[in-house]
Amino acid sequence: MHVVIEPKILYFGTPVVLISTCNEDGSANLAPMSSAWWLGQSCMLGMSGRSKTVQNLLRERECVLNLPSSDMVDAVDRLALYTGANPVPEPKRRQGYQYEPRKFELAGLTPAPSDLVKAPRVTECPVQLEARLVQVHPFHEPSHLTALEVAIMRVHVDEKLLIAGEKHYIDPDKWSPLIMSFCEFYGLGRKVHPSRLATIFAPATAN
Ligand SMILES: Cc1cc2nc3c(=O)[nH]c(=O)nc-3n(C[C@H](O)[C@H](O)[C@H](O)COP(=O)(O)O)c2cc1C
């Protein structure tokens, strides 16, 4: 039997992304987020306008989307409840957020220069996507939320994730994203069924 409920959040499970952006003084900010979905060569990011990340994105119009693997969960969790915004916006302060200008150090992660954008990549993340901001869509409610459409300009991938013998295909059996579901961390389970859709995106040799 189904029951009608009023959940506080609707986080049904999405991959965690570490977004790196450039601050006004050229230093880097790094923020965990998980309201992200992908279509074609674009990504839509759902973020609070109270975050330093959104302020930086609107000004610089570029970022890196770093995808941590599930075994990087400690580093991701260390970044929780910290913001690069100073002063800390009042609603965030009430939630327990603190200002932290050195997020890479806090998380024990290593910045690496990007090719096309000023923001650094996260060396430890197996997937690093350099991106530029294309459009911003305000949410109706709550009004501080924004949907930010970014276009992926360059994809950096740890070669260990590639299908053997292929240059441009990530093997989903080798990629282990970190998933946030109802604010808790998960990895993926095993593949549950062969996918008919997967044939469309498979390497030509497999067709
Ligand atoms: C795993 C995880 C996922 C999160 N997902 C989101 C999200 O999807 N959107 C969002 O606005 N904040 C999300 N947050 C909270 C942000 O990290 C928070 O807004 C923070 O202030 C961002 O850092 P910044 O202010 O330095 O940009 C998430 C936090 C964690 C730890």
Side-chain angles (χ1 to χ4, degrees), residues 38-97:
W38 319 83
L39 201 59
Q41 300 297 313
S42 297
C43 179
M44 191 67 92
L45 305 162
M47 286 227 61
S48 166
R50 295 177 185 135
S51 63
K52 184 69 181 174
T53 298
V54 169
Q55 294 168 19
N56 286 351
L57 259 172
L58 294 179
R59 190 185 60 255
E60 304 284 332
R61 303 194 73 81
E62 55 182 41
C63 64
V64 182
L65 307 180
N66 303 277
L67 273 56
S69 48
S70 53
D71 59 4
M72 290 177 63
V73 64
D74 277 347
V76 172
D77 195 46
R78 276 197 287 273
L79 291 166
L81 300 181
Y82 285 101
T83 177
N86 187 23
V88 178
E90 190 48 32
K92 277 195 186 291
R93 201 193 56 76
R94 282 199 301 271
Q95 291 173 326
Y97 274 84

Side-chain angles (χ1 to χ4, degrees), residues 11 14 16-17 19 21 29-36 45-56 76-77 79-85 89 92 97 100 103 144-145 178 180 183 185:
Y11 277 18
T14 40
V16 174
V17 180
I19 305 187
T21 51
N29 189 44
L30 185 64
M33 63 83 68
S34 56
S35 304
L45 305 162
M47 286 227 61
S48 166
R50 295 177 185 135
S51 63
K52 184 69 181 174
T53 298
V54 169
Q55 294 168 19
N56 286 351
V76 172
D77 195 46
L79 291 166
L81 300 181
Y82 285 101
T83 177
K92 277 195 186 291
Y97 274 84
E100 175 53 66
K103 303 263 202 86
H144 65 92
L145 296 182
L178 178 62
M180 170 149 276
C183 288
F185 293 113

Side-chain angles (χ1 to χ4, degrees), residues 130-163:
E130 298 187 41
R132 73 181 161 82
L133 183 66
V134 177
Q135 287 194 77
V136 181
H137 311 266
F139 269 48
H140 178 57
E141 279 301 333
S143 56
H144 65 92
L145 296 182
T146 48
L148 305 132
E149 180 186 337
V150 299
I152 307 303
M153 298 190 293
R154 184 151 296 181
V155 178
H156 304 261
V157 171
D158 185 333
E159 59 188 2
K160 292 193 201 82
L161 295 186
L162 296 178
I163 293 178

Side-chain angles (χ1 to χ4, degrees), residues 117-138:
V117 304
K118 276 192 278 172
R121 296 178 284 142
V122 177
T123 306
E124 291 80 359
C125 286
V127 180
Q128 307 149 350
L129 310 168
E130 298 187 41
R132 73 181 161 82
L133 183 66
V134 177
Q135 287 194 77
V136 181
H137 311 266

